[in-house]
Amino acid sequence: MVLAAMLLPFLASAQMDAETPKGRFLRPTTRIGEIIEYELSYRHEPGLNVIFPDSTATYAPFEYVGKKYQPTRTRQGISLDRTVYQLRTFSLDSVQRLQLPVTILRGRDTLLVPSTVANVTLKRAVPQLADGATPTLRQNTVLLPVKPAFNYPYWLAGATLLLLVLGGAALVFGRRWRQRYQLYKVRKNHVYFLAQYARHVERFTLSRSLTNMERAITLWKNYLTNLENNTISSLTTREIVAHYQNDADVRLALRLADRVIYGNQFSEDDTETDLAFDLLRSFAERRFELVRQRLEN
């Protein structure tokens, strides 16, 4: 009696270890290419290390699509592992079978335990013909609409060719185009300067306001700054005269303008102020001609 009681746990353990994994299809029938679910479950003792097949296993005659597994559940001293596999078949056998092994790890040893054999019946869409019989073909010559496909290779080749042509044109004519564009901007800015300058001079003549004269001088400085890319807009009268190599027209015009603006010395007539305005406009036109000739050559 004592010996039998001592052997009972080992016998129970051996019985649980010997239990066969259960494999079954969740549907009795399937079609070619249709996904069918196959369930593999195994009840075992809690301390057993069990590994179920993964995507690298052999599922012939089926193909592996995916799987869904559940965590191990242990109740009343028995653990349950369960996995549902998504499979599909392209075999034409009427009845197809599948038997997957479960791997059990015992230290350094590995034990493969095959599951029960599961069967599924292939449901044919076309009735099976007798040997040597030819199926009846059904003719259908109605054209189906086909959506035009975008021809990427030709468009890419065309875009590449266009970029090459534009790049070559830029290399050959780029400098000339830049010169023409610069010349266009210089002419446009010069016309704008002459119109604004004439407006300030006219306002000064009518109002004798120093503000209008200062605006005309400031416009002249800013125009030459942009035209020649220099900094005379921030220079004093002496520095501007030195910058233009002591030009007689610039020296006289700025001296007359400073005497009126800073010395508030108006003459009886407008001869001196008119002369200052004329000299500044004439000098700006001469500098414009130098820049224009440089761009055209």
Side-chain angles (χ1 to χ4, degrees):
M1 294 292 292
V2 176
L3 181 59
M6 294 177 61
L7 291 176
L8 278 177
F10 296 99
L11 292 175
S13 177
Q15 185 178 0
M16 284 190 295
D17 289 350
E19 184 173 347
T20 304
K22 301 294 190 301
R24 68 186 184 95
F25 288 99
L26 300 185
R27 289 204 320 268
T29 61
T30 186
R31 296 177 181 270
I32 293 293
E34 185 180 43
I35 294 178
I36 186 171
E37 292 186 331
Y38 169 85
E39 180 188 76
L40 180 62
S41 61
Y42 185 41
R43 297 179 183 273
H44 56 86
E45 60 178 302
L48 207 61
N49 292 325
V50 178
I51 300 177
F52 276 31
D54 58 7
S55 59
T56 61
T58 301
Y59 296 89
F62 299 89
E63 291 183 359
Y64 174 86
V65 177
K67 68 176 180 178
K68 297 180 293 184
Y69 67 92
Q70 295 180 353
T72 302
R73 293 187 304 174
T74 302
R75 292 181 179 177
Q76 298 179 355
I78 299 177
S79 296
L80 172 65
D81 285 309
R82 177 177 176 271
T83 300
V84 177
Y85 296 86
Q86 289 86 40
L87 309 174
R88 61 187 174 189
T89 180
F90 294 94
S91 174
L92 299 179
D93 294 337
S94 299
V95 178
Q96 301 183 25
R97 299 173 175 82
L98 180 63
Q99 185 179 28
L100 295 181
V102 172
T103 303
I104 299 177
L105 302 180
R106 293 183 180 274
R108 296 184 179 181
D109 296 331
T110 300
L111 177 63
L112 292 179
V113 181
S115 65
T116 57
V117 179
N119 298 330
V120 66
T121 303
L122 182 66
K123 188 175 182 180
R124 298 179 181 272
V126 178
Q128 189 172 6
L129 300 176
D131 294 339
T134 304
T136 303
L137 300 180
R138 199 167 44 178
Q139 184 177 2
N140 186 358
T141 58
V142 178
L143 299 179
L144 297 177
V146 178
K147 185 178 180 181
F150 188 80
N151 199 330
Y152 289 99
Y154 282 98
W155 277 94
L156 290 176
T160 303
L161 180 61
L162 179 62
L163 290 176
L164 291 176
V165 172
L166 293 178
L171 290 176
V172 176
F173 304 104
R175 183 173 178 273
R176 183 180 301 176
W177 289 343
R178 287 193 297 270
Q179 285 181 340
R180 289 183 179 274
Y181 178 68
Q182 290 295 329
L183 185 60
Y184 165 77
K185 289 201 306 182
V186 166
R187 286 174 175 170
K188 182 179 179 181
N189 291 338
H190 185 66
V191 172
Y192 178 79
F193 160 73
L194 292 178
Q196 293 297 109
Y197 187 79
R199 182 178 302 174
H200 289 313
V201 172
E202 181 181 3
R203 288 176 178 175
F204 172 77
T205 303
L206 295 175
S207 64
R208 306 294 288 177
S209 171
L210 295 180
T211 301
N212 290 321
M213 189 172 192
E214 290 178 351
R215 289 175 179 174
I217 301 300
T218 301
L219 178 67
W220 178 82
K221 292 180 180 180
N222 291 335
Y223 170 70
L224 291 180
T225 297
N226 295 328
L227 178 67
E228 300 177 327
N229 194 22
N230 55 34
T231 58
I232 69 166
S233 60
S234 60
L235 301 180
T236 63
T237 297
R238 182 177 298 180
E239 291 171 337
I240 294 174
V241 173
H243 177 79
Y244 288 115
Q245 290 80 40
N246 202 27
D247 184 90
D249 291 346
V250 175
R251 183 178 67 251
L252 177 58
L254 292 181
R255 181 171 58 82
L256 293 175
D258 286 349
R259 187 170 64 182
V260 174
I261 295 174
Y262 300 110
N264 199 18
Q265 299 178 13
F266 285 99
S267 60
E268 295 299 329
D269 54 17
D270 297 334
T271 304
E272 290 186 352
T273 55
D274 290 343
L275 177 61
F277 286 132
D278 290 342
L279 291 176
L280 293 179
R281 181 176 61 250
S282 176
F283 181 78
E285 290 179 343
R286 282 191 283 127
R287 304 304 293 187
F288 163 75
E289 286 298 325
L290 291 176
V291 173
R292 184 184 64 80
Q293 292 175 7
R294 185 172 68 250
L295 291 175
E296 289 180 348
N297 296 332

